[in-house]
Amino acid sequence: MPRPRPSTALDHLRVLDLTRVRAGPTCCRVLADFGADVIKIEAPPGVDPNEAMSGSRHGSDMQNLHRNKRSLALNLKTDEGRKVFLKLVETADIVVENYRPDVKDRLGIGYETLKAINPRIILASVSGFGQDGPYRTRAGFDQIAQGMGGLMGITGFPGQGPMRAGIAVADSAAGIYAATGILVALAEREKSGEGQWIQTSLLQAMIAMCDFQAASFTVDGKVPPQNGNDHPNSTPMGVLPASDGFINIGVGGEGQWKAFCKAIDREDLTAHPDYANANQRYANRPALMALIGDLTKTQPCAFWLDKFEAQGVPAGPIYAMDQVFDDPQVQHLGMAAPVHHPVRGEIRLIAQPLVMSRTSPAIETPTPESGEHTDEILREAGFPETEIARLRSASII
C-alpha cells in the first residue's frame, strides 16, 4: 500500500534529511508538506551524545517539525553506515544538513563526494555563521544570531537593554531561505541537469530579516535605535491601551490619519500644528501617543476595533496564543491542522502558510518513531533482507 502523500507538488523528489534542532528541520518540513519523500536520518539510540537536544520525541516541537517524514536509524560514524548513506545518495535528489561545516568533511559526506556519486544531487547546508570565514566552526544558536545580526539591538524599549524576540527568528528564516534555495536549484537543474551546493546560515538569515532596518545603515549610515512597540518611521503606529487590554494600530498615510482622527472623535487633530503632517507627528510622537492613549483607555478593545474598522483604519487585537487559535479568521485559514498520532491521539500542528490552487500542502502523518521505516527504506534501495539483518546486528542501523 503506497504511503499517503500530503501533496503531489514534490512527490517525485527524495530528500535525505540529516538535520536536527530547528533551522534544518524547518527547511525539510516545507519539502515534506509539499509531498517530497523526506527520509529523516538519525543516529540509533545511544550513539549521539546530543540526541535529546530537540526534546521529547512525542513533544509538541518534535511533532511540529518532523511530520510527513520517514525515519531511518543509521550510524554515520561507522564506515558501513557511511556506505549505506552514499548508496541512498545515488537515487536521492536533495541532501539537507546543519552540522558545523567541518563535520560533514570529517564524516566523508561533503559536497564533492556526493557530486561524484550523483551529479544531480542538491546539497543544502545550514550553519551558524557560514561554510567558511573566521567563525565557520563556531556553534550557532538562534539567540546568538539574533544578537550578532542586529535584531536584539533594535528590539525592546530604549534604555532597557537588548531584547530577544520571542520566537526563533534566525533559525526559522534560515530554514525557509534554504528551502527557497533548493527550489531555485531544482528549477535550474531542469535546464543544466546538474545539482549544486546551497549554503545559508543563521547569521545571514538574521541580517536579511532585519531588511529595512539593516538597509538604514548600509544605505544611509544610520544606526537604528530601539523603539519599543512604536514603528521606527511612522506614527501613530503601535500599541494603545484600552480599558480591558491593548490593541495595535497602524496609521500609514494622511488619509488613514484623517480616518483615525474621525474614529476617535478628534478630527481637530488633523489641523493641529504639531500633528498636521507625518514629519510633525513623528517629531512629536511621545506627546501624540500619550494623548491618544488617554482617549483609548476609556473604552474596551472591542469598542475601538469596531470604530477603527468602520473607518478603514488598520487595527487589531493583541492575542495570547489560545486567543490566536480561537479567532474565526485563523480558524478559516486552517492554521491548526489535525493529524492522528498513535500515542498522543488527535493533535493539531501548525500548517504551512500557503494555499495553492492545485497542489496545496497538507499534514498526513505525525513525526515517525526513531528508525520506524529503516527496513522499508533499505529494501527500496536494494538491500536484501540478510544484509539488513546483518547491519542491525552490527548496530549500524
Side-chain angles (χ1 to χ4, degrees), residues 300-353:
C301 295
F303 173 87
W304 290 115
L305 293 175
D306 287 343
K307 294 271 281 185
F308 293 140
E309 183 173 359
Q311 297 299 326
V313 176
I318 299 174
Y319 286 151
M321 200 59 72
D322 57 340
Q323 296 171 304
V324 172
F325 291 97
D326 281 340
D327 186 280
Q329 183 65 24
V330 175
Q331 293 179 354
H332 171 77
L333 292 170
M335 286 304 297
V339 68
H340 179 77
H341 189 277
V343 175
R344 299 201 57 169
E346 297 301 319
I347 59 175
R348 296 186 301 164
L349 303 176
I350 310 307
Q352 291 290 341

Side-chain angles (χ1 to χ4, degrees), residues 34 332-335 351-362:
F34 277 99
H332 171 77
L333 292 170
M335 286 304 297
Q352 291 290 341
L354 288 164
V355 176
M356 313 279 284
S357 63
R358 293 189 298 105
T359 58
S360 286

Side-chain angles (χ1 to χ4, degrees), residues 184-344:
V184 171
L186 286 167
E188 193 279 336
R189 194 176 72 174
E190 293 296 308
K191 296 188 297 181
S192 68
E194 297 181 14
Q196 56 185 304
W197 187 11
I198 299 155
Q199 305 170 27
T200 191
S201 68
L202 306 191
L203 182 58
Q204 289 169 285
M206 189 69 266
I207 294 169
M209 289 297 288
C210 284
D211 196 44
F212 73 96
Q213 292 278 49
S216 177
F217 172 71
T218 61
V219 176
D220 297 326
K222 297 178 180 179
V223 178
Q226 293 171 298
N227 285 296
N229 288 319
D230 291 321
H231 190 277
N233 300 323
S234 299
T235 199
M237 188 175 292
V239 175
L240 290 175
S243 63
D244 60 348
F246 297 88
I247 59 172
N248 274 318
I249 61 159
V251 177
E254 295 307 316
Q256 288 182 359
W257 169 239
K258 292 176 181 178
F260 177 81
C261 291
K262 185 175 182 180
I264 63 172
D265 296 321
R266 287 297 306 269
E267 290 180 86
D268 60 296
L269 292 176
T270 62
H272 193 290
D274 288 347
Y275 314 127
N277 59 54
N279 289 336
Q280 287 299 102
R281 291 193 295 275
Y282 187 82
N284 295 289
R285 176 161 65 184
L288 177 59
M289 293 300 285
L291 184 157
I292 295 169
D294 285 342
L295 287 171
T296 58
K297 68 184 180 184
T298 63
Q299 297 289 344
C301 295
F303 173 87
W304 290 115
L305 293 175
D306 287 343
K307 294 271 281 185
F308 293 140
E309 183 173 359
Q311 297 299 326
V313 176
I318 299 174
Y319 286 151
M321 200 59 72
D322 57 340
Q323 296 171 304
V324 172
F325 291 97
D326 281 340
D327 186 280
Q329 183 65 24
V330 175
Q331 293 179 354
H332 171 77
L333 292 170
M335 286 304 297
V339 68
H340 179 77
H341 189 277
V343 175
R344 299 201 57 169

Side-chain angles (χ1 to χ4, degrees), residues 4-29:
R5 294 290 182 96
S7 172
T8 59
L10 303 179
D11 66 0
H12 59 300
L13 300 174
R14 175 164 288 184
V15 182
L16 304 181
D17 175 6
L18 297 171
T19 70
R20 60 183 180 180
V21 189
R22 186 168 316 283
T26 297
C27 168
C28 294
R29 178 175 61 189

